[in-house]
Amino acid sequence: MAESDGQWEKGEKQETRCRDPLFALLLYCNVGALIGVAAAYADKAFTDETVSGYEYEGYLYAALICGGIALVFSALMMALMMAIPQFLIKVSLIFMIGLTGFWMVIAFASGAIGIGIMGAIFFALMLCYARAVWGRIPFATANLVTSGTAIKSNCGVTIIAYIFGALAFGWSALWTVAFLGVWEQTYDCEDDEDSKYSNCNTNYGYLFLLFLSFYFTHQVLQNCVHVTVAGVVGTWWFAPEESSNCCSSAVRDSFIRTVTTSFGSICFGSLLVAIVQALRAIANQ
């Protein structure tokens, strides 16, 4: 609550305790179970002759290469965003207008009149949107610069973000091995005598559990970074003397809160989102 002299009065300190510990335990069980599945079925996916006829080594190597490239580009884009924030906002807006205009022109040029009309509608909407928000770009730039300043003052959060990014990358690789092993173990095809194609059955129960495991852990890792950064920026805003260097007490305390007292709540929220994502993934099969 703000006082008349502009000073801030801190609220009552909350009890320090771990909240929603059951969901944190559920995450640990999830990770342990997937490690067991990967250890038990990994050899099924990396044999010379797989049941499905696919060779998966190339996919795994491609994933490793793409993950490494993504880490490099994320660092470059972070530096670019802090250097020219206003320019990036304007370029992104103009790019969307150009993209919808290009879609419209290509559709009309290829004779797809219906798609071209739809493209023209989106092009007009993007022009109206750009005109409406153009005057707010300085405000958006100020917000972006403020957030960038907070991160620069506590650059230790970027190290935490890359650590969790590496964990997410490792989790994706481990999950891929487990998924391919289970897929090969449960993949069932029968030749159809009346057709040149085979009837292949997928066990959607196993598929849902695997997708749930994948999204659950990724959501937890992502939200851990989100909560840590939020805590650091909040401290930087209200108590800048506690968050003025790379490894400030704000970074350390926020990270400790994230992986201890707030971890169960993070897992709880992440599980709810993961269930929806897993159902969507199954529906798209």
Side-chain angles (χ1 to χ4, degrees):
M1 180 176 64
E3 297 178 347
S4 58
D5 59 357
Q7 298 297 320
W8 290 89
E9 180 182 345
K10 293 186 177 181
E12 181 180 351
K13 182 176 176 60
Q14 300 296 311
E15 178 187 0
T16 302
R17 63 184 180 87
C18 294
R19 294 171 174 81
D20 303 309
L22 179 62
F23 295 96
L25 180 61
L26 187 61
L27 174 72
Y28 298 141
C29 292
N30 166 54
V31 173
L34 192 85
I35 292 174
V37 170
Y41 296 112
D43 60 322
K44 303 292 183 181
F46 298 100
T47 56
D48 293 335
E49 294 185 3
T50 59
V51 176
S52 61
Y54 299 123
E55 294 183 359
Y56 299 113
E57 288 86 350
Y59 294 103
L60 190 58
Y61 293 145
L64 292 173
I65 294 171
C66 290
I69 293 174
L71 289 175
V72 174
F73 270 94
S74 65
L76 294 176
M77 289 306 299
M78 182 70 177
L80 191 63
M81 183 180 65
M82 291 183 176
I84 48 174
Q86 186 171 11
F87 177 75
L88 288 180
I89 294 174
K90 291 181 178 180
V91 166
S92 64
L93 194 58
I94 294 173
F95 176 76
M96 290 305 300
I97 295 174
L99 189 62
T100 53
F102 179 75
W103 172 24
M104 175 187 67
V105 171
I106 292 299
F108 280 127
S110 62
I113 304 301
I115 297 177
I117 293 174
M118 186 181 299
I121 293 173
F122 278 102
F123 181 68
L125 290 174
M126 283 302 303
L127 287 175
C128 293
Y129 173 75
R131 188 176 187 278
V133 303
W134 194 262
R136 303 176 187 176
I137 289 179
F139 175 71
T141 302
N143 284 332
L144 191 56
V145 170
T146 301
S147 61
T149 303
I151 298 301
K152 284 181 180 178
S153 300
N154 301 272
C155 58
V157 294
T158 60
I159 299 174
I160 293 174
Y162 276 106
I163 291 174
F164 276 92
L167 289 175
F169 182 70
W171 173 255
S172 296
L174 177 66
W175 181 87
T176 301
V177 171
F179 175 82
L180 295 177
V182 172
W183 179 266
E184 285 298 319
Q185 183 70 18
T186 61
Y187 193 83
D188 183 25
C189 285
E190 296 179 358
D191 293 331
D192 191 345
E193 297 180 357
D194 300 328
S195 174
K196 61 180 180 179
Y197 300 104
S198 299
N199 294 323
C200 298
N201 300 317
T202 302
N203 191 315
Y204 286 100
Y206 289 145
L207 204 59
F208 173 76
L209 291 176
L210 285 167
F211 279 134
L212 181 61
S213 174
F214 176 80
Y215 289 120
F216 182 25
T217 304
H218 268 291
Q219 281 294 322
V220 170
L221 295 174
Q222 175 183 327
N223 289 328
C224 281
V225 176
H226 181 88
V227 171
T228 301
V229 172
V232 171
V233 173
T235 303
W236 173 83
W237 186 265
F238 291 103
E241 68 280 357
E242 298 179 11
S243 52
S244 57
N245 56 69
C246 178
C247 298
S248 62
S249 60
V251 176
R252 182 181 62 253
D253 294 344
S254 182
F255 176 71
I256 291 175
R257 288 194 302 270
T258 296
V259 296
T260 55
T261 56
S262 299
F263 191 66
S265 299
I266 292 173
C267 294
F268 182 24
S270 299
L271 179 61
L272 297 178
V273 176
I275 291 173
V276 176
Q277 290 179 316
L279 290 174
R280 180 184 295 175
I282 291 294
N284 290 334
Q285 295 302 309

